[in-house]
Every structure is written in structure tokens, then in C-alpha cells.
Amino acid sequence: MKLAFFGGTFDPPHKGHEMIIERCSVLFNQLLIIPNRISPEKENKPPVSQKHRVNMLNIIINNNINNNIRIDTFEIDSVSQNYTYLTIKHLIKNYTFSDLYMIVGEDQLSNLSNWYNMKFILDNVNLVCFNRFGNMNRNNNIDSNIQYIPFDYPFSSSEIRGNIRGNIKLKHETINGEVHTYIKDNNLYK
């Protein structure tokens, strides 16, 4: 069984995340979405509450026709820093699979050499990189372990948060309509 996991802050989850989830739900037998409590690189910018981010992710998952997607709250529930190698250890211990895949964006891949315990990560997962704008900045040290998927999505969660704070109308291609309604109903990112 091919098990894939897609981690991130998802603050908020946008249509780019939704497109990746949709694509991966057909590529893998099971897809885990793993929202983090807070990324070690983003400790000075805390996200909205875990409850809201999980609720928004559930909206996206419930709209997907595949039933092989679920949210794993291991990182949210963790009291320690969210290091990816700890998440991989959790997956190895708690799930049955023949191959484990980690879904990353090009920005994360380019920063992988700075990740804590990178060797353990590379020894235990296959990488699937959704690279924005078709840039194929190959890393020769780890390239044999990477499947590249072209991905052209120009918006980011930080841009969406900024637009909400600035009362700038969101474009329909940035965020799921139900997620947008949830954000408005709960007065998030103001």
C-alpha cells in the first residue's frame, strides 16, 4: 500500500492545497493531511487555532470524491517542536504501508538540507515535489528519491491572509467558497 502524507500549516488551506490533495488522492492508496501546530521556521507567526484549520481542511476533504483521505493530528497534538522526522517515526509506528511518500512544495524541497535529521527523512520516504511554475531546480544529492510534478499555482496562504486583513476581495481561484464562508463566519485573519 502506498501511503502519502502532506504536512503544513494550512493557514488557511487554499485552492492550491486542494488541488494537491485531489491529485494525491488518486496517486496513493491513502493520503494523510498533517497540519502542524506551528512550524519551527514560523514560531514568530502563530497560525489561527488548530480547531479552525482542521475544520477548514475537513471542508476540503468532504468535497473530495475519494474516501482515502484523512487528517492526522499528530503534530497538532504534540507538545514538542514539529520536526518531520518525528512525524515519520509516528507514521512508521502507527500505519501499515509498503511505500511512504512525503508531499512537499518546491520551497520546502529547496530548504530540505536545513531540516533536522534529514538523513533519516531521506532514508524513510520517497519525495513528491509539487513545483510551482515548472521550475525544476534539481538537487543532485537527493534527486533519485524525488518525483517532480509540475504545479502552477501563484497564490499563497500569506497572500490570502493579507488580502483578508486588507479587505481585498479574494479571487475565486484562491480559496474554496465554503472555506471562505467559514473564514468570514468565524472572523478569521482580521
Side-chain angles (χ1 to χ4, degrees):
M1 177 178 93
K2 291 182 175 181
L3 172 67
F5 70 100
F6 181 29
T9 308
F10 303 107
D11 189 31
H14 52 63
K15 284 224 177 154
H17 296 129
E18 192 170 358
M19 290 162 39
I20 291 170
I21 289 168
E22 185 175 309
R23 177 84 182 265
C24 289
S25 71
V26 296
L27 291 177
F28 302 102
N29 302 104
Q30 185 170 16
L31 173 62
L32 300 175
I33 310 303
I34 305 180
N36 60 31
R37 187 168 42 88
I38 189 162
S39 171
E41 300 90 42
K42 298 179 181 177
E43 288 184 340
N44 62 338
K45 301 175 187 174
V48 298
S49 78
Q50 294 95 331
K51 177 188 88 166
H52 288 308
R53 291 183 293 126
V54 168
N55 288 344
M56 289 185 282
L57 284 168
N58 274 316
I59 290 169
I60 289 172
I61 290 169
N62 290 337
N63 285 333
N64 192 291
I65 60 169
N66 296 310
N67 62 1
N68 63 339
I69 309 166
R70 79 180 217 42
I71 296 172
D72 184 308
T73 60
F74 169 76
E75 289 191 9
I76 283 178
D77 298 337
S78 174
V79 293
S80 64
Q81 277 195 311
N82 294 321
Y83 290 109
T84 300
Y85 89 96
L86 294 172
T87 301
I88 293 168
K89 283 185 172 187
H90 160 75
L91 297 174
I92 291 169
K93 180 180 176 185
N94 292 287
Y95 292 89
T96 303
F97 55 85
S98 57
D99 292 304
L100 182 60
Y101 295 82
M102 181 171 72
I103 299 157
V104 297
E106 179 185 16
D107 54 339
Q108 295 166 318
L109 182 64
S110 64
N111 193 35
L112 192 63
S113 61
N114 297 322
W115 288 20
Y116 188 74
N117 212 344
M118 183 186 73
K119 181 171 177 3
F120 178 86
I121 294 169
L122 294 176
D123 287 346
N124 287 280
V125 301
N126 300 293
L127 294 169
V128 176
C129 176
F130 281 80
N131 55 325
R132 288 185 177 183
F133 315 113
N135 294 330
M136 294 289 193
N137 296 329
R138 307 252 182 210
N139 184 329
N140 292 331
N141 296 331
I142 60 173
D143 206 40
S144 64
N145 204 24
I146 303 172
Q147 175 185 352
Y148 289 93
I149 298 176
F151 185 66
D152 187 6
Y153 185 78
F155 305 102
S156 68
S157 292
S158 59
E159 179 182 348
I160 292 167
R161 289 191 307 270
N163 286 344
I164 293 169
R165 281 188 198 102
N167 290 316
I168 298 169
K169 185 176 178 179
L170 296 179
K171 297 178 181 178
H172 74 279
E173 61 267 15
T174 59
I175 198 159
N176 176 298
E178 290 177 58
V179 170
H180 189 215
T181 299
Y182 182 92
I183 290 169
K184 288 193 297 190
D185 289 350
N186 290 279
N187 201 30
L188 303 179
Y189 308 112
K190 291 289 183 177

